[in-house]
Amino acid sequence: MRNSLKQTEDPFTKLNKPFQESIKRIVDIIGSTIALIIFSPIFVVIALLIICEDGRPVFFKQKRSGLYDNAFSMYKFRSMRVRSTPRSKDKSSSSKYNWTTGVPDNFVFKTASEANPNITKMGHFIRKYSLDELPQFINVLKGEMSLIGPRPEIIEITRCYSTEQKMRLTVKPGITGWAQTNGRSNMNHGEKIRCDLYYVNNFNLWLDLKVILKTAVQVVAGKGSV
């Protein structure tokens, strides 16, 4: 069984900002609650459109690495077909991600132009405008995520992290973050890590506010996908 970093090693310098972290959690609770109420009509519409196009389920759950590499189930609106068409170039996660000295800087998990025949018409739309991410406000309310922070990475990738790369796991993953407002899906892993570590090292509530404002502009513009 895979042990969490919190149990096995602690190579990190804690934020040591208890007041700001407490305020951040309060903001997360209030913000996610308000968001879930405001977006509830959109939840219903998206759910109905997903069901009409490709049936159930409405939500997609995937294990991601959270604070201190503790796994949690991240929620999204389903954007892929239930019965997916096999893709000849697909490989198992174990053969894809087997780096032993850290994830290479030039690695790119996906690109904005990547074509996937299994994405539904509704899926293309909700991905373009990041609407598939809305259910993650549930993760925020539960305390598994924050409104702002590094995007939660898949476990197969974080298990290959170097000690430096693991430092991005010292804060809760977020719905959006500094990396997403400075390149989003168009940046490689090295650039993403540098942005995430900048956030970890410079965390404050004003930086969170700046990320929120920049995210709002990008979502309205439909720029890339988080």
Side-chain angles (χ1 to χ4, degrees), residues 2-213:
R2 179 170 173 266
N3 294 322
S4 68
L5 292 176
K6 192 174 183 180
Q7 297 172 324
T8 59
E9 58 177 314
D10 187 10
F12 315 114
T13 299
K14 300 297 188 299
L15 291 180
N16 196 27
K17 296 181 179 181
F19 175 74
Q20 295 200 62
E21 290 180 88
S22 297
I23 296 299
K24 181 179 176 72
R25 178 57 187 152
I26 293 172
V27 171
D28 283 344
I29 293 172
I30 295 173
S32 59
T33 300
I34 293 174
L36 288 170
I37 294 172
I38 292 176
F39 292 128
S40 57
I42 298 178
F43 270 62
V44 173
V45 172
I46 292 176
L48 290 175
L49 291 174
I50 290 174
I51 292 172
C52 288
E53 181 178 6
D54 197 52
R56 297 176 183 274
V58 170
F59 296 111
F60 168 75
K61 294 192 297 184
Q62 185 181 45
K63 289 292 184 182
R64 295 290 179 109
S65 292
L67 181 65
Y68 300 116
D69 207 16
N70 289 308
F72 71 99
S73 295
M74 187 183 76
Y75 304 119
K76 283 190 175 187
F77 279 120
R78 182 172 61 85
S79 59
M80 305 282 282
R81 299 186 185 282
V82 174
R83 295 180 176 82
S84 299
T85 302
R87 303 177 70 190
S88 59
K89 293 184 179 180
D90 279 355
K91 299 178 181 179
S92 66
S93 295
S94 59
S95 61
K96 277 184 179 180
Y97 314 123
N98 55 4
W99 308 291
T100 57
T101 57
V103 182
D105 283 351
N106 62 356
F107 169 71
V108 178
F109 179 67
K110 64 176 181 178
T111 62
S113 61
E114 181 182 7
N116 188 330
N118 294 316
I119 301 177
T120 63
K121 292 180 180 178
M122 187 60 187
H124 280 292
F125 178 80
I126 61 178
R127 283 189 176 197
K128 179 178 180 180
Y129 293 100
S130 299
L131 296 175
D132 60 323
E133 312 287 348
L134 289 179
Q136 287 160 43
F137 285 112
I138 299 172
N139 292 117
V140 175
L141 188 60
K142 291 172 64 178
E144 298 163 334
M145 291 177 61
S146 176
L147 295 176
I148 308 299
R151 285 296 293 160
E153 188 62 90
I154 63 173
I155 294 172
E156 289 78 12
I157 290 180
T158 58
R159 66 161 53 107
C160 298
Y161 273 1
S162 66
T163 299
E164 181 183 26
Q165 291 168 345
K166 288 175 184 177
M167 290 180 65
R168 76 187 294 270
L169 303 174
T170 60
V171 296
K172 286 182 182 179
I175 290 180
T176 185
W178 188 248
Q180 285 64 47
T181 57
N182 288 273
R184 303 185 82 178
S185 58
N186 300 316
M187 60 170 54
N188 62 31
H189 191 267
E191 293 168 331
K192 182 178 74 173
I193 288 292
R194 283 189 286 274
C195 285
D196 288 342
L197 294 186
Y198 173 86
Y199 176 80
V200 170
N201 294 326
N202 295 277
F203 162 71
N204 60 67
L205 299 178
W206 291 114
L207 183 58
D208 275 12
L209 179 60
K210 185 175 181 180
V211 172
I212 289 174
L213 294 175

